[in-house]
Amino acid sequence: MENFQITLRELVRCYQAFEQLSNRHIRTMDLTPAQFDIVATLGNTQGMSCRELGEKTLITKGTLTGVLDRLEARDIVRRETINADRRSFRIFLSPTGEDLFNRTFNQHLEYIRPFFSELSAQKLTEITCALTELRHKFQDQTNAI
Amino acid sequence: MENFQITLRELVRCYQAFEQLSNRHIRTMDLTPAQFDIVATLGNTQGMSCRELGEKTLITKGTLTGVLDRLEARDIVRRETINADRRSFRIFLSPTGEDLFNRTFNQHLEYIRPFFSELSAQKLTEITCALTELRHKFQDQTNAI
DNA sequence: TATTGTTATACTCTATAACTATA
DNA sequence: TATAGTTATAGAGTATAACAATA
């Protein structure tokens, strides 16, 4: 097996191991992974358009409408028309949504933290740099067919 | 922001960047990501039980039945009763499935390869080791709440 | 003409729990 | 009693394309 395959497989296995424990925790907070992604992305911001939210979460616009509808029905996010462009909305967290963000996001980090506890600061930096470098490759459009 | 958060965010961003381009390609092969995962897991094996397949792909048994049903309907996988334990099946690729595996898996690797082309063997090894170490942390059950 | 977001369609995945058959 | 896998249920995400309103 070639080197890049081994790296790729390890990326997938590592992420999926994380995803499994992360999603299990997210479910206990009565959110789906996609919903948590939206709430986490909107947290500590002034809100953003659907287009921007879709770019950050990698959720396509058709799907996004449905996810936002369900969050709006629970008064977690709100849509507000903006004057600058009447095709667009500002999507932002309601007070309930901000509460949820503050509780769940920190709770989620505390849930995750122990898994990192034995890694030194230097090791963390190493891993981070490696991942950043790899991500830049994935996002380099000149590689895309 | 703490060190581990930065590393975590970079893991998520890196994987999602990969997942996006990977899934886009998988769709062009008329497979869903879950189906590709099954086919890739069964490729180059003698087949395995649902339990084992579920453990490897992280698909829960109820979901797995449906995914396998759809693959079996297209004659990509087959179920075969085994004598040793009549509750269980051997799930394996049909000849069509093996063809599909040989075509799509290699095709998928060729699609992915260019994204890694500028990373040296040493750099790949570094990234791989970092990811392995992190995965072991995630899989260390003593951290789980 | 291009862009923003919604609607419509059809399907797939998802978790969960109850169930059957076997061990 | 425990395990392997199916069935049933209800909901959520997914891609895609057509659409309306606006730029």
mmCIF file of all heavy atoms in Angstrom, chain A residues 13 15 25 34-35 39 43 53 59 68 70-71 92 97 105 108-110 123-124 127 129 132-133 142:
data_model
loop_
_atom_site.group_PDB
_atom_site.id
_atom_site.type_symbol
_atom_site.label_atom_id
_atom_site.label_comp_id
_atom_site.label_asym_id
_atom_site.label_seq_id
_atom_site.Cartn_x
_atom_site.Cartn_y
_atom_site.Cartn_z
ATOM 1 N N ARG A 13 -9.919 7.042 9.909
ATOM 2 C CA ARG A 13 -10.129 6.292 11.150
ATOM 3 C C ARG A 13 -10.110 7.211 12.362
ATOM 4 O O ARG A 13 -10.898 7.046 13.287
ATOM 5 C CB ARG A 13 -9.048 5.216 11.307
ATOM 6 C CG ARG A 13 -9.186 4.114 10.272
ATOM 7 C CD ARG A 13 -8.007 3.159 10.298
ATOM 8 N NE ARG A 13 -8.040 2.260 11.439
ATOM 9 C CZ ARG A 13 -7.055 1.426 11.751
ATOM 10 N NH1 ARG A 13 -5.965 1.383 11.014
ATOM 11 N NH2 ARG A 13 -7.165 0.627 12.792
ATOM 12 N N TYR A 15 -10.758 10.495 12.456
ATOM 13 C CA TYR A 15 -11.939 11.355 12.498
ATOM 14 C C TYR A 15 -13.172 10.565 12.905
ATOM 15 O O TYR A 15 -13.991 11.027 13.690
ATOM 16 C CB TYR A 15 -12.183 12.031 11.143
ATOM 17 C CG TYR A 15 -13.394 12.921 11.197
ATOM 18 C CD1 TYR A 15 -13.309 14.204 11.721
ATOM 19 C CD2 TYR A 15 -14.637 12.463 10.776
ATOM 20 C CE1 TYR A 15 -14.411 15.015 11.827
ATOM 21 C CE2 TYR A 15 -15.761 13.276 10.874
ATOM 22 C CZ TYR A 15 -15.635 14.548 11.396
ATOM 23 O OH TYR A 15 -16.740 15.340 11.507
ATOM 24 N N HIS A 25 -22.514 12.148 22.148
ATOM 25 C CA HIS A 25 -22.757 13.200 23.126
ATOM 26 C C HIS A 25 -23.755 14.228 22.610
ATOM 27 O O HIS A 25 -24.634 14.676 23.344
ATOM 28 C CB HIS A 25 -21.443 13.879 23.517
ATOM 29 C CG HIS A 25 -21.605 14.914 24.581
ATOM 30 N ND1 HIS A 25 -21.278 16.223 24.399
ATOM 31 C CD2 HIS A 25 -22.118 14.826 25.836
ATOM 32 C CE1 HIS A 25 -21.563 16.898 25.506
ATOM 33 N NE2 HIS A 25 -22.065 16.074 26.392
ATOM 34 N N ALA A 34 -25.936 17.816 12.389
ATOM 35 C CA ALA A 34 -26.074 18.978 11.507
ATOM 36 C C ALA A 34 -26.567 20.200 12.281
ATOM 37 O O ALA A 34 -26.095 21.318 12.061
ATOM 38 C CB ALA A 34 -27.026 18.656 10.362
ATOM 39 N N GLN A 35 -27.504 19.970 13.190
ATOM 40 C CA GLN A 35 -28.029 21.080 13.981
ATOM 41 C C GLN A 35 -26.955 21.657 14.901
ATOM 42 O O GLN A 35 -26.821 22.879 15.035
ATOM 43 C CB GLN A 35 -29.243 20.609 14.797
ATOM 44 C CG GLN A 35 -30.467 20.346 13.934
ATOM 45 C CD GLN A 35 -31.544 19.572 14.656
ATOM 46 O OE1 GLN A 35 -31.383 19.186 15.826
ATOM 47 N NE2 GLN A 35 -32.654 19.317 13.982
ATOM 48 N N VAL A 39 -25.547 25.520 15.122
ATOM 49 C CA VAL A 39 -25.517 26.290 16.366
ATOM 50 C C VAL A 39 -24.083 26.698 16.702
ATOM 51 O O VAL A 39 -23.823 27.847 17.072
ATOM 52 C CB VAL A 39 -26.144 25.486 17.527
ATOM 53 C CG1 VAL A 39 -25.948 26.200 18.859
ATOM 54 C CG2 VAL A 39 -27.629 25.260 17.265
ATOM 55 N N GLY A 43 -22.725 30.542 16.910
ATOM 56 C CA GLY A 43 -22.354 31.025 18.243
ATOM 57 C C GLY A 43 -21.255 32.065 18.184
ATOM 58 O O GLY A 43 -20.342 31.962 17.354
ATOM 59 N N LEU A 53 -23.400 30.529 5.743
ATOM 60 C CA LEU A 53 -23.592 29.415 6.668
ATOM 61 C C LEU A 53 -23.394 28.079 5.950
ATOM 62 O O LEU A 53 -22.786 27.150 6.482
ATOM 63 C CB LEU A 53 -25.004 29.504 7.264
ATOM 64 C CG LEU A 53 -25.343 28.666 8.486
ATOM 65 C CD1 LEU A 53 -24.340 28.860 9.609
ATOM 66 C CD2 LEU A 53 -26.754 29.010 8.963
ATOM 67 N N ILE A 59 -23.125 22.416 4.160
ATOM 68 C CA ILE A 59 -24.486 21.945 3.924
ATOM 69 C C ILE A 59 -25.029 22.712 2.722
ATOM 70 O O ILE A 59 -24.967 23.941 2.690
ATOM 71 C CB ILE A 59 -25.375 22.189 5.166
ATOM 72 C CG1 ILE A 59 -24.833 21.392 6.364
ATOM 73 C CG2 ILE A 59 -26.821 21.810 4.884
ATOM 74 C CD1 ILE A 59 -25.571 21.648 7.666
ATOM 75 N N LEU A 68 -32.660 24.609 8.976
ATOM 76 C CA LEU A 68 -32.996 25.880 9.626
ATOM 77 C C LEU A 68 -34.468 25.929 10.020
ATOM 78 O O LEU A 68 -34.809 26.446 11.077
ATOM 79 C CB LEU A 68 -32.645 27.053 8.705
ATOM 80 C CG LEU A 68 -31.156 27.296 8.477
ATOM 81 C CD1 LEU A 68 -30.939 28.436 7.501
ATOM 82 C CD2 LEU A 68 -30.427 27.574 9.791
ATOM 83 N N ARG A 70 -36.309 23.502 11.016
ATOM 84 C CA ARG A 70 -36.501 22.742 12.254
ATOM 85 C C ARG A 70 -35.933 23.489 13.461
ATOM 86 O O ARG A 70 -36.512 23.462 14.549
ATOM 87 C CB ARG A 70 -35.871 21.352 12.108
ATOM 88 C CG ARG A 70 -36.698 20.440 11.204
ATOM 89 C CD ARG A 70 -36.123 19.046 11.056
ATOM 90 N NE ARG A 70 -35.002 18.974 10.129
ATOM 91 C CZ ARG A 70 -35.120 18.825 8.802
ATOM 92 N NH1 ARG A 70 -36.314 18.730 8.239
ATOM 93 N NH2 ARG A 70 -34.060 18.765 8.038
ATOM 94 N N LEU A 71 -34.810 24.180 13.260
ATOM 95 C CA LEU A 71 -34.238 24.952 14.366
ATOM 96 C C LEU A 71 -35.089 26.189 14.670
ATOM 97 O O LEU A 71 -35.225 26.585 15.823
ATOM 98 C CB LEU A 71 -32.796 25.373 14.036
ATOM 99 C CG LEU A 71 -31.746 24.265 14.107
ATOM 100 C CD1 LEU A 71 -30.411 24.744 13.555
ATOM 101 C CD2 LEU A 71 -31.568 23.761 15.542
ATOM 102 N N PHE A 92 -29.481 34.015 12.676
ATOM 103 C CA PHE A 92 -28.758 34.223 13.937
ATOM 104 C C PHE A 92 -29.437 33.462 15.063
ATOM 105 O O PHE A 92 -30.582 33.028 14.932
ATOM 106 C CB PHE A 92 -28.675 35.726 14.259
ATOM 107 C CG PHE A 92 -30.014 36.379 14.466
ATOM 108 C CD1 PHE A 92 -30.467 36.691 15.752
ATOM 109 C CD2 PHE A 92 -30.850 36.673 13.388
ATOM 110 C CE1 PHE A 92 -31.706 37.290 15.939
ATOM 111 C CE2 PHE A 92 -32.087 37.274 13.579
ATOM 112 C CZ PHE A 92 -32.515 37.581 14.845
ATOM 113 N N GLY A 97 -31.365 30.122 21.683
ATOM 114 C CA GLY A 97 -30.268 29.507 20.950
ATOM 115 C C GLY A 97 -28.916 29.860 21.548
ATOM 116 O O GLY A 97 -28.017 29.016 21.616
ATOM 117 N N PHE A 105 -22.074 23.979 23.938
ATOM 118 C CA PHE A 105 -20.748 24.034 23.332
ATOM 119 C C PHE A 105 -19.671 23.809 24.386
ATOM 120 O O PHE A 105 -18.759 23.006 24.198
ATOM 121 C CB PHE A 105 -20.545 25.368 22.608
ATOM 122 C CG PHE A 105 -19.379 25.351 21.679
ATOM 123 C CD1 PHE A 105 -19.458 24.675 20.459
ATOM 124 C CD2 PHE A 105 -18.198 25.990 22.005
ATOM 125 C CE1 PHE A 105 -18.367 24.638 19.595
ATOM 126 C CE2 PHE A 105 -17.108 25.953 21.144
ATOM 127 C CZ PHE A 105 -17.197 25.286 19.948
ATOM 128 N N HIS A 108 -19.819 20.310 25.567
ATOM 129 C CA HIS A 108 -19.233 19.411 24.586
ATOM 130 C C HIS A 108 -17.704 19.447 24.672
ATOM 131 O O HIS A 108 -17.041 18.412 24.623
ATOM 132 C CB HIS A 108 -19.704 19.798 23.180
ATOM 133 C CG HIS A 108 -19.429 18.744 22.154
ATOM 134 N ND1 HIS A 108 -19.932 17.471 22.253
ATOM 135 C CD2 HIS A 108 -18.703 18.759 21.022
ATOM 136 C CE1 HIS A 108 -19.513 16.753 21.218
ATOM 137 N NE2 HIS A 108 -18.774 17.521 20.453
ATOM 138 N N LEU A 109 -17.154 20.643 24.838
ATOM 139 C CA LEU A 109 -15.697 20.744 24.963
ATOM 140 C C LEU A 109 -15.197 20.017 26.206
ATOM 141 O O LEU A 109 -14.166 19.353 26.173
ATOM 142 C CB LEU A 109 -15.276 22.216 25.011
ATOM 143 C CG LEU A 109 -15.283 22.935 23.666
ATOM 144 C CD1 LEU A 109 -14.891 24.390 23.852
ATOM 145 C CD2 LEU A 109 -14.350 22.252 22.675
ATOM 146 N N GLU A 110 -15.967 20.136 27.291
ATOM 147 C CA GLU A 110 -15.551 19.445 28.517
ATOM 148 C C GLU A 110 -15.626 17.932 28.338
ATOM 149 O O GLU A 110 -14.837 17.189 28.913
ATOM 150 C CB GLU A 110 -16.408 19.884 29.714
ATOM 151 C CG GLU A 110 -16.155 21.320 30.139
ATOM 152 C CD GLU A 110 -14.663 21.650 30.191
ATOM 153 O OE1 GLU A 110 -13.905 20.908 30.832
ATOM 154 O OE2 GLU A 110 -14.254 22.646 29.549
ATOM 155 N N LYS A 123 3.152 18.296 21.154
ATOM 156 C CA LYS A 123 2.540 17.259 20.314
ATOM 157 C C LYS A 123 1.271 17.795 19.646
ATOM 158 O O LYS A 123 1.021 17.557 18.461
ATOM 159 C CB LYS A 123 2.234 16.029 21.180
ATOM 160 C CG LYS A 123 1.610 14.856 20.449
ATOM 161 C CD LYS A 123 2.477 14.342 19.316
ATOM 162 C CE LYS A 123 3.557 13.388 19.816
ATOM 163 N NZ LYS A 123 4.308 12.788 18.671
ATOM 164 N N LEU A 124 0.493 18.550 20.397
ATOM 165 C CA LEU A 124 -0.721 19.136 19.826
ATOM 166 C C LEU A 124 -0.379 20.049 18.657
ATOM 167 O O LEU A 124 -1.043 20.029 17.617
ATOM 168 C CB LEU A 124 -1.490 19.921 20.895
ATOM 169 C CG LEU A 124 -2.255 19.090 21.931
ATOM 170 C CD1 LEU A 124 -2.872 19.998 22.984
ATOM 171 C CD2 LEU A 124 -3.332 18.247 21.253
ATOM 172 N N ILE A 127 0.493 17.980 15.620
ATOM 173 C CA ILE A 127 -0.679 17.398 14.971
ATOM 174 C C ILE A 127 -1.439 18.477 14.206
ATOM 175 O O ILE A 127 -1.850 18.285 13.064
ATOM 176 C CB ILE A 127 -1.600 16.713 16.011
ATOM 177 C CG1 ILE A 127 -0.848 15.580 16.729
ATOM 178 C CG2 ILE A 127 -2.856 16.179 15.349
ATOM 179 C CD1 ILE A 127 -1.644 14.882 17.806
ATOM 180 N N CYS A 129 -0.386 21.297 12.932
ATOM 181 C CA CYS A 129 0.322 21.716 11.723
ATOM 182 C C CYS A 129 0.183 20.685 10.610
ATOM 183 O O CYS A 129 -0.030 21.030 9.439
ATOM 184 C CB CYS A 129 1.798 21.946 12.016
ATOM 185 S SG CYS A 129 2.089 23.380 13.054
ATOM 186 N N THR A 132 -3.309 20.958 9.162
ATOM 187 C CA THR A 132 -3.478 22.174 8.367
ATOM 188 C C THR A 132 -2.861 22.008 6.991
ATOM 189 O O THR A 132 -3.450 22.357 5.966
ATOM 190 C CB THR A 132 -2.838 23.377 9.088
ATOM 191 O OG1 THR A 132 -3.397 23.486 10.392
ATOM 192 C CG2 THR A 132 -3.101 24.660 8.316
ATOM 193 N N GLU A 133 -1.664 21.439 6.996
ATOM 194 C CA GLU A 133 -0.968 21.249 5.730
ATOM 195 C C GLU A 133 -1.775 20.330 4.801
ATOM 196 O O GLU A 133 -1.944 20.607 3.607
ATOM 197 C CB GLU A 133 0.413 20.639 5.998
ATOM 198 C CG GLU A 133 1.270 20.588 4.758
ATOM 199 C CD GLU A 133 2.736 20.334 5.090
ATOM 200 O OE1 GLU A 133 3.122 20.371 6.279
ATOM 201 O OE2 GLU A 133 3.503 20.095 4.137
ATOM 202 N N THR A 142 -6.458 23.336 -7.728
ATOM 203 C CA THR A 142 -5.721 22.899 -8.918
ATOM 204 C C THR A 142 -5.599 21.386 -8.975
ATOM 205 O O THR A 142 -5.325 20.818 -10.021
ATOM 206 C CB THR A 142 -4.302 23.509 -8.950
ATOM 207 O OG1 THR A 142 -3.586 23.065 -7.802
ATOM 208 C CG2 THR A 142 -4.369 25.013 -8.955
#
